[in-house]
């Protein structure tokens, strides 16, 4: 039932190529029927034309055979053209559908599949299905037709000789069933080995600089050799069984032919069978045996194709974990962000939450710094703002509304994220920056570069038309970070998140970027950082510890009361602890209310310690 459902699912993607598929079916059927008449005509020429010396009948029947063969050949050419068009178009539609469905996946969906496996499913598996349609459909249609029709015509010529097939056909059917049942699971194992080969190859190519820097060429070569050998062994085991059908069927064909010639010769000598009839019968024997060979080959081809179809359908059936709300909000009023008792874990089966009972409020237009040790949940927290993941419990609000009430595209247009792992694409600087705003003018691009301090090196790499190379290999890590910041600024979001996105730039450039960002009004800025200096001027600083909010407040407030923040400042040389505490106390006495108006509630003016 599952295989039937998979076939029904992928069949939808024939689309406009259904007409070509139907034409291929008609051509293949016509070719099979025409080819079946040729041996019958040949037997008629031998038994009637030659036996009775009727030369006119021989010429006429010969001309009919020639026309039949030419028409059958034309049908074969028509099938080849129509099937190729249908198969290639079907494969293109299937790849496009798979890719489009993949774009709707949430991060949690992507966590279910290895990248290498997705590449294999969209390339190798689709190619297998294409080949099965193009090369397997013709024998799949011709085989049964020629087998059934050949047996019927052979029985009309000689029932006694046709009894030979009663012995050979059941034996061949049992052999074919055994081979297919043994091979079908092995195709899945072989495709899995292909996934692992692609994974090793992809990882080695991406990390080629690190491999050379650590002189690990021999190690990765040995690793690739192991996965390559695994694929070779898996393929050898699979095809070693699959190819058994050819010698077995050829042996059966030889035995059947010898038996038919023996019994047929005896019948001719007894005068119960004509020479022409035996000649035509042997032609049908060849057709029947060839049809059996075609059926066996196509069964093996379909066994592999069904495995690939199942792998493709696993992607197509994967339901996106995040979807837009029906009639979702398309406008974000402001950049206010609120976390209401939020807990989160990446997998429902995980034993511990990554974030636990987080309650925070970021006022619209404010600058918020988030600090914490490695694994404290900083990146997980900010990913919830753009709804890259959904909170396990609790509510995340942006602009006063639950993020689940928004249209996803509209929410993510209003929330810009400079991810921890910076990604640039092949092409020019202009091409990459316009990911943020496809309609941006050169002046807007240059202004975003100025704020992100990317203008410092822009001319050195060729300006806006400079080629960044594959994945931005032509620029350094710090330059890549600044271009990513500029790209996000071009979205003009209500909330912009910097997930440790200045870690590769020097302190002076970091300060200049912060100064440029401070001049941008009406935008809530959330800065995830390791360096205290990156967030020291923030309106609110959040300290995360093991997935919980340890404390919130300003630099001065935290420096007075929070031991973790004091240790961070001391370790990074922000100020000596004694001087910093004195300065903080003076600042608090001089005008803490001026820094944070209000009663110290939701806006975080008062230092709070989480549970």
């Amino acid at each position: 039932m599952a295989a039937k459902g998979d076939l029904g699912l992928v069949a939808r993607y024939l689309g406009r190529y259904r007409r070509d598929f139907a034409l291929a079916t008609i051509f293949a059927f016509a070719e099979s029927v025409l080819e079946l008449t040729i041996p019958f005509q040949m037997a008629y020429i031998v038994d009637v034309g030659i036996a009775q010396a009727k030369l006119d009948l021989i010429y006429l029947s010969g001309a009919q055979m020639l026309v039949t063969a030419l028409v059958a050949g034309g049908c074969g050419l028509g099938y080849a053209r129509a099937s190729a068009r249908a198969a290639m178009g079907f494969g293109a539609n299937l790849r496009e559908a798979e890719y489009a469905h993949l774009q709707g996946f949430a991060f949690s969906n992507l966590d279910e599949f290895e990248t290498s496996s997705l590449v294999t499913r969209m390339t190798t598996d689709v190619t297998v299905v294409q080949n099965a349609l193009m090369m397997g459909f013709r024998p799949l249609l011709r085989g049964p037709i020629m087998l059934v029709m050949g047996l019927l015509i052979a029985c009309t010529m000689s029932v006694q000789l046709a009894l030979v097939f009663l012995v050979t056909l059941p034996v061949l059917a049992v052999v074919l069933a055994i081979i297919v049942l043994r091979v079908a699971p092995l195709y899945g194992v072989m495709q899995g080995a292909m996934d692992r080969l692609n994974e090793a190859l992809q990882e080695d190519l991406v990390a080629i600089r690190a491999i050379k820097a650590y002189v690990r060429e021999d190690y990765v070569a040995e690793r690739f050799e192991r996965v390559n050998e695994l694929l070779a062994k898996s393929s050898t085991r699979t095809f070693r069984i699959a190819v058994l059908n050819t010698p077995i069927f050829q042996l059966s064909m030889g035995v059947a032919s010898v038996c038919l010639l023996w019994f047929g010769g005896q019948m001719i000598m007894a005068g119960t069978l004509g020479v022409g009839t035996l000649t035509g019968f042997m032609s049908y024997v060849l057709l029947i045996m060839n049809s059996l060979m075609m059926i066996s080959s196509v069964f093996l081809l379909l066994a592999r194709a069904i495995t690939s179809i199942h792998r493709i359908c696993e992607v197509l059936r994967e339901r996106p974990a995040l979807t837009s709300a029906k009639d979702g909000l398309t406008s974000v009023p402001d950049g206010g962000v609120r976390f209401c008792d939020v807990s989160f874990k990446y997998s429902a089966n995980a034993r511990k939450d990554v974030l636990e009972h987080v309650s925070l409020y970021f006022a619209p237009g404010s600058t918020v710094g988030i600090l914490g040790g490695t694994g404290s949940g900083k990146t997980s927290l900010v990913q919830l703002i753009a709804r890259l993941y959904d909170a396990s419990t609790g509510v995340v609000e942006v602009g006063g509304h639950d993020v689940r009430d928004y249209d996803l595209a509209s929410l993510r247009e209003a929330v810009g994220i400079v991810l921890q792992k910076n990604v640039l694409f092949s092409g020019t600087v202009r091409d990459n920056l316009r990911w943020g705003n496809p309609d941006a003018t050169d002046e807007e691009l240059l202004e975003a570069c100025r704020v992100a301090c990317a203008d410092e090196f822009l001319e050195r790499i060729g300006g806006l038309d400079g080629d960044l190379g594959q994945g931005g290999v032509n620029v350094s890590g710090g330059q890549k970070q600044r271009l990513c910041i500029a790209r996000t600024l071009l979205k003009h979001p209500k909330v912009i998140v910097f997930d440790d996105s200045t870690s590769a730039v020097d302190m002076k450039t970091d300060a200049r970027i912060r100064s440029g960002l401070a001049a941008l009004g009406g935008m809530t800025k959330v800065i995830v950082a390791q360096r205290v200096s990156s967030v020291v001027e923030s309106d609110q600083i959040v300290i995360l510890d093991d997935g919980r909010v340890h404390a919130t407040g300003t630099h001065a407030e935290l420096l007075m009361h929070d031991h973790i923040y004091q240790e961070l400042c001391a370790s990074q040389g922000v100020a000596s602890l004694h001087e910093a505490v004195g300065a903080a106390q003076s600042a608090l006495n001089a005008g803490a209310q001026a820094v944070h108006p209000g009663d110290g509630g939701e806006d975080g003016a008062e230092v709070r310690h989480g549970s």
Side-chain angles (χ1 to χ4, degrees):
M1 289 296 292
K4 184 178 179 181
D6 290 343
L7 290 173
L9 178 60
V10 297
R12 303 175 191 172
Y13 300 104
L14 270 171
R16 62 190 179 93
Y17 297 100
R18 293 180 187 274
R19 176 177 173 273
D20 294 303
F21 185 75
L23 283 175
T25 304
I26 294 170
F27 281 130
F29 180 80
E31 181 188 16
S32 301
V33 172
L34 289 169
E35 286 185 359
L36 283 169
T37 64
I38 292 176
F40 197 79
Q41 292 171 333
M42 184 173 62
Y44 182 71
I45 290 173
V46 173
D47 284 344
V48 180
I50 296 177
Q52 300 179 15
K54 293 182 178 180
L55 195 59
D56 292 341
L57 182 62
I58 295 172
Y59 285 145
L60 180 60
S61 297
Q64 290 176 346
M65 286 180 62
L66 179 61
V67 172
T68 302
L70 289 174
V71 175
C75 290
L77 290 174
Y79 167 82
R81 180 179 177 84
S83 64
R85 193 161 51 226
M88 295 302 106
F90 172 65
N93 287 349
L94 198 56
R95 269 191 299 269
E96 186 177 348
E98 205 174 347
Y99 182 79
H101 190 66
L102 193 64
Q103 299 307 305
F105 281 5
F107 282 16
S108 56
N109 294 116
L110 294 172
D111 293 341
E112 298 293 324
F113 297 95
E114 295 287 345
T115 303
S116 57
S117 180
L118 289 173
V119 171
T120 305
R121 291 166 197 251
M122 294 182 63
T123 53
T124 305
D125 285 320
V126 172
T127 301
V128 168
V129 177
Q130 275 182 321
N131 292 339
L133 180 60
M134 185 168 63
M135 297 187 298
F137 181 69
R138 182 170 180 263
L140 180 64
L141 186 65
R142 280 168 53 89
I145 291 174
M146 295 182 72
L147 176 62
V148 174
M149 295 294 291
L151 285 172
L152 289 176
I153 296 174
C155 286
T156 62
M157 298 177 75
S158 175
V159 176
Q160 292 89 340
L161 291 179
L163 293 176
V164 173
F165 293 116
L166 292 179
V167 178
T168 56
L169 289 180
V171 173
L172 292 177
V174 171
V175 170
L176 176 60
I178 293 172
I179 291 174
V180 171
L181 290 174
R182 288 290 303 275
V183 166
L186 296 179
Y187 281 128
V189 176
M190 187 176 72
Q191 292 301 97
M194 179 69 75
D195 288 345
R196 288 188 285 276
L197 179 74
N198 283 342
E199 181 181 7
L201 184 60
Q202 179 187 20
E203 190 174 83
D204 292 349
L205 291 175
V206 170
I208 190 66
R209 287 168 175 78
I211 292 169
K212 292 185 176 297
Y214 286 92
V215 197
R216 299 288 283 173
E217 291 90 346
D218 292 341
Y219 169 76
V220 295
E222 290 176 5
R223 185 177 65 172
F224 184 81
E225 183 179 353
R226 285 196 298 271
V227 294
N228 190 41
E229 185 178 352
L230 178 65
L231 176 60
K233 287 181 177 179
S234 176
S235 301
T236 301
R237 182 184 176 195
T238 301
F239 292 110
R240 184 173 57 201
I241 299 174
V243 298
L244 289 177
N245 76 307
T246 301
I248 291 173
F249 273 72
Q250 286 178 340
L251 176 63
S252 300
M253 185 184 299
V255 172
S257 297
V258 170
C259 291
L260 288 169
L261 288 172
W262 171 263
F263 293 118
Q266 295 293 327
M267 293 172 70
I268 290 172
M269 293 176 66
T272 57
L273 186 70
V275 175
T277 302
L278 180 60
T279 304
F281 195 95
M282 291 304 299
S283 297
Y284 282 111
V285 170
L286 292 175
L287 283 175
I288 292 168
M289 289 300 180
N290 283 332
S291 69
L292 290 172
M293 287 288 291
M294 285 190 290
I295 292 171
S296 67
S297 298
V298 80
F299 266 96
L300 293 173
L301 192 63
L302 286 177
R304 185 178 184 186
I306 288 173
T307 300
S308 293
I309 287 172
H310 179 68
R311 285 162 52 85
I312 292 169
C313 288
E314 283 181 339
V315 176
L316 294 176
R317 284 203 171 96
E318 179 77 10
R319 297 178 64 86
L322 303 179
T323 55
S324 296
K326 186 178 181 181
D327 301 323
L329 302 172
T330 57
S331 176
V332 178
D334 57 54
V337 178
R338 188 189 303 273
F339 294 86
C340 303
D341 194 28
V342 169
S343 295
F344 171 69
K345 53 186 175 182
Y346 287 98
S347 171
N349 299 323
R351 288 181 294 178
K352 185 179 179 182
D353 290 335
V354 177
L355 297 170
E356 297 181 31
H357 305 294
V358 173
S359 295
L360 292 167
Y361 177 69
F362 307 155
S366 64
T367 301
V368 179
I370 299 178
L371 296 175
T374 302
S376 58
K378 303 185 297 297
T379 296
S380 301
L381 179 72
V382 296
Q383 285 179 339
L384 300 180
I385 300 175
R387 207 187 167 202
L388 299 180
Y389 291 93
D390 268 341
S392 302
T393 60
V395 176
V396 181
E397 294 181 358
V398 174
H401 298 280
D402 190 330
V403 292
R404 290 169 290 199
D405 294 335
Y406 284 104
D407 174 73
L408 265 178
S410 300
L411 174 66
R412 290 173 184 173
E413 281 295 321
V415 180
I417 296 187
V418 186
L419 295 169
Q420 190 174 38
K421 184 179 180 181
N422 301 287
V423 177
L424 294 174
F425 299 90
S426 301
T428 64
V429 174
R430 181 185 282 104
D431 294 335
N432 275 270
L433 292 179
R434 280 184 172 163
W435 277 64
N437 181 4
D439 301 320
T441 64
D442 284 359
E443 289 74 20
E444 290 174 317
L445 298 179
L446 292 171
E447 175 60 20
C449 289
R450 184 194 64 78
V451 175
C453 296
D455 56 335
E456 295 178 352
F457 61 86
L458 203 57
E459 291 305 318
R460 295 200 301 272
I461 63 173
L464 293 175
D465 294 314
D467 184 31
L468 295 176
Q470 184 178 2
V473 296
N474 293 339
V475 291
S476 68
Q479 291 170 339
K480 188 183 293 186
Q481 285 187 332
R482 284 181 272 178
L483 288 172
C484 289
I485 292 172
R487 180 175 63 190
T488 306
L489 290 173
L490 285 164
K491 293 179 66 174
H492 304 294
K494 299 290 179 65
V495 181
I496 186 166
V497 177
F498 301 94
D499 188 4
D500 204 14
S501 52
T502 59
S503 58
V505 302
D506 58 84
M507 299 286 286
K508 181 180 177 181
T509 304
D510 186 16
R512 287 185 57 202
I513 293 173
R514 285 188 281 111
S515 177
L517 293 174
L520 301 176
M523 183 187 299
T524 304
K525 295 170 278 292
V526 181
I527 303 170
V528 176
Q530 299 288 344
R531 294 192 298 236
V532 173
S533 60
S534 297
V535 301
V536 71
E537 298 174 356
S538 299
D539 301 315
Q540 180 183 182
I541 299 173
V542 178
I543 307 295
L544 289 180
D545 183 33
D546 196 23
R548 292 177 174 269
V549 177
H550 173 75
T552 64
T554 64
H555 170 67
E557 294 165 348
L558 291 173
L559 201 56
M560 279 293 299
H561 301 289
D562 188 70
H563 68 92
I564 292 181
Y565 192 73
Q566 291 169 357
E567 292 172 0
L568 284 171
C569 290
S571 64
Q572 296 181 22
V574 174
S576 68
L577 190 57
H578 179 74
E579 294 173 356
V581 171
Q585 183 64 61
S586 299
L588 287 170
N589 293 337
Q593 292 299 318
V595 176
H596 280 283
D599 60 5
E602 290 180 327
D603 60 3
E606 181 183 9
V607 179
R608 295 190 298 105
H609 292 269
S611 57

